[in-house]
């Protein structure tokens, strides 16, 4: 259990004081996959760096399983960091070490015997599907493979918590999905609590159970993913759920329509578009109010807002129909606009 | 000069000198330079690391006055011309070696002249490391000492090797100058025969040998730096 209580953090910069975090409180349950989403500069990295005390908050406390880690000595803190490991946007592998030695790194630090460390590292490389790359150097791997090695390294000390700071932001959608899949597996199989920092909606939607929205250093909304994304209350949440609002483009929508939000997360593109098929097969006419989708390698990514004239039943059967296709999520949204 | 530097007597005499003196001179030059480089690195590398690690937001922050003093000492030593430095460190040389003349004695001023330079070179190598890697090490629970030994040094090995090569060739140049105060080696031969006795052929040969030595060590350094760098993709 991670309890973040009223933490604030300011930075003195050349342009004056930046309030990176302002009275942030969150609690993250064991075994959760918790998303922290926000625009650039919202304070996400600062928050996650506070969770392992790489950054000390000016005020407030962080408790991990009831232990206030802000009160620990540097030495104790270093032991705690073996339980709260981290992966990064830039992977941050040691470039002069091969993959195996990279995974051994945390074990070396904690004084594990060489032969044992090697055995453990090979097991972990197996888990992330890169056993055959043990002798390869990071420069010889793709970004996705490097992140897998970084994940193996993060798992080496059997952590309780895995912090992911924009771990998939440097990767293409297909690789992103495979990394998220790996993280989900780790969460399920090893029971590790995962904290995911991202600015991408799709990441939160496809993996997180709970989410907090950070805006200007404050938590403006939090709850389960479906709750927050179907009823976005704050402006920041609405901007994330309806990116079109931010860009200011008008949404073609008839008054009184119900709105369904669809997220394509690598669904196979078919010859007949999904919405057209729904109209033919279900007789549900949908008006596309907004669409921002792109097709990569025959897979569709992005989101869409549908306006549907009709009652709850119609909407429900539309959602049932839409979500039958794999990698498509659909939800009715309220508070839109 | 003219043609007489290649006259048959001159050539014969030169050959005699080459036979009797050059092997020892080459050996002395290399031995002095290697020893001086090794000592300069032993002092300069930790100092260079300290300059980076000891900064305010470094991994092992030092009091800022201490950092300032280190910087001043380094800059001071680097701005004194080598010839003068040699004379200035006579007392220290006598203390350590027992004498101020001779090949071994010349190592002391060479080290004093070279370690601040090496410290700056090491500093620049260490600064090349991606700060995110250091942050990774911290988040993994590495102590400052572990970061230095397991991350900073190994990650900058190729750059450190290139810079060690630069240090070596620079020290070689200084060591030739130490011939003036009785240091041995090719520098002494060049000065004794070329400057004091107008035997230009010998001087030119000594210089050519210095150039060859620099070339050889530079090539070895470049080869090692490239070979150890795992960032260069190799199949
Ligand atoms: N060490 C620092 N010194 C000064 N200002 C900082 C420092 N770290 C962060 N900030 C400031 O704090 C604010 C929050 O930064 P943070 O890196 O946490 O944002 P973020 O949400 O992670 O953004 P991004 O998505 O771009 O990574 C920014 O305004 C940033 O400029
Ligand atoms: Mg960030």
């Amino acid at each position: 259990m991670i309890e973040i209580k009223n933490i604030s953090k300011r930075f003195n910069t050349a342009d004056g004081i930046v309030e990176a975090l302002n009275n942030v409180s969150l609690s993250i349950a064991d075994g959760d996959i918790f998303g922290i989403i926000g625009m650039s500069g919202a304070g996400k990295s600062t928050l996650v760096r506070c969770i392992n005390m790489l950054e000390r908050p000016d005020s407030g406390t962080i408790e991990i399983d009831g232990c206030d880690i802000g009160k620990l000595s540097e030495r104790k803190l270093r032991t705690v960091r073996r339980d709260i490991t981290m992966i990064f946007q830039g992977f941050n592998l040691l470039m002069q070490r091969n993959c195996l030695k990279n995974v051994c790194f945390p074990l070396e630090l904690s004084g594990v015997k060489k032969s044992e460390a090697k055995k453990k590292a090979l097991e972990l490389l197996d888990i992330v599907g890169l056993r055959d790359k043990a002798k390869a150097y990071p420069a010889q791997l793709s970004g996705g493979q490097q992140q897998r090695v970084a994940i193996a390294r993060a798992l080496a000390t059997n952590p309780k918590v895995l912090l992911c700071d924009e771990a998939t932001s440097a990767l293409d959608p297909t690789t992103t999905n495979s990394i998220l899949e790996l993280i989900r597996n780790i969460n399920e199989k090893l029971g590790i609590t995962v904290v995911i920092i991202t600015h991408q909606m799709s990441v939160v939607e496809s993996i997180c159970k709970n989410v907090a929205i950070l805006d200007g250093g404050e938590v403006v909304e939090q709850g389960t993913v479906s709750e927050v994304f179907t009823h976005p209350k704050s402006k920041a949440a609405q901007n994330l759920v309806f990116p079109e609002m931010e860009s200011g483009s008008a949404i073609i929508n008839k008054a009184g329509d119900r709105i369904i939000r669809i997220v394509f997360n690598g669904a196979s593109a078919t010859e007949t578009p999904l919405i057209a098929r729904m109209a033919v097969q279900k007789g549900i006419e949908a008006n596309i109010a907004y669409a921002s989708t792109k097709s990569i390698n025959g897979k569709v990514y992005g989101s869409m807002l549908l306006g549907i004239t009709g009652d709850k039943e119609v909407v429900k059967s539309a959602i049932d129909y839409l979500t039958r296709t794999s990698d498509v999520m659909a939800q009715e949204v309220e508070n839109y606009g | 000069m003219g043609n007489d530097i290649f006259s048959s007597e001159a050539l014969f005499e030169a050959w005699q000198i080459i036979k009797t003196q050059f092997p020892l001179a080459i050996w002395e030059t290399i031995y002095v330079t290697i020893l001086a480089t090794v000592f300069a690195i032993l002092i300069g590398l930790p100092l260079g690391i300290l300059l980076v690690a000891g900064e305010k937001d470094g991994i092992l922050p030092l009091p800022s006055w201490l950092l300032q003093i280190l910087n001043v000492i380094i800059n001071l030593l680097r701005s004194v011309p080598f010839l003068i430095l040699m004379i200035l460190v006579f007392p220290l040389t006598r203390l350590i070696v027992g004498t101020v003349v001779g090949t071994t004695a010349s190592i002391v001023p060479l080290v004093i002249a070279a370690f601040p330079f090496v410290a700056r070179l090491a500093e620049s190598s260490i600064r090349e490391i991606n700060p995110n890697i250091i942050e990774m090490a911290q988040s993994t629970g590495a102590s400052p000492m572990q970061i230095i030994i397991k991350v900073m040094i190994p990650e900058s090995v190729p750059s450190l090797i290139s810079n060690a090569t630069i240090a070596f060739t620079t020290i070689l140049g200084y060591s030739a100058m130490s011939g003036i105060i009785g240091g041995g080696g090719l520098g002494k031969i060049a000065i004794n025969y070329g400057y004091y006795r107008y035997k230009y052929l010998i001087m030119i040969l000594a210089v050519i040998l210095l150039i060859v030595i620099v070339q050889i060590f530079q090539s070895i350094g470049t080869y090692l730096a490239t070979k150890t760098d795992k960032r260069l993709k190799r199949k």
Side-chain angles (χ1 to χ4, degrees), chain B residues 54 60-69:
Chain B
L60 196 66
L62 294 177
S64 66
W65 58 266
L66 185 57
L67 210 57
Q68 207 108 39
I69 289 178

Side-chain angles (χ1 to χ4, degrees), chain A residues 49 52 54 78 81-82 84 86 88 92-97 105-106 108-109 137 139-141 153, chain B residues 132-133 135-144 146 150-151 154-155 158 228-231 233-234:
Chain A
R49 288 163 52 86
N52 61 6
L54 277 182
R78 289 201 280 271
R81 285 184 187 140
R82 290 176 200 154
I84 314 169
M86 199 166 175
F88 308 83
N92 299 352
L93 296 177
L94 296 164
M95 299 306 278
Q96 306 293 355
R97 283 185 177 224
F105 179 68
E108 270 173 39
L109 296 181
Y137 286 90
Q140 296 167 310
L141 303 182
R153 176 178 63 190
Chain B
N132 294 336
I133 298 262
E135 181 176 322
M136 177 284 292
Q138 287 175 316
S139 77
T140 312
S143 67
Q146 285 176 321
K150 291 189 178 290
V151 180
E155 283 295 294
T228 53
D229 197 348
K230 311 298 187 210
R231 285 170 298 182
K233 284 204 183 195
R234 291 172 308 147

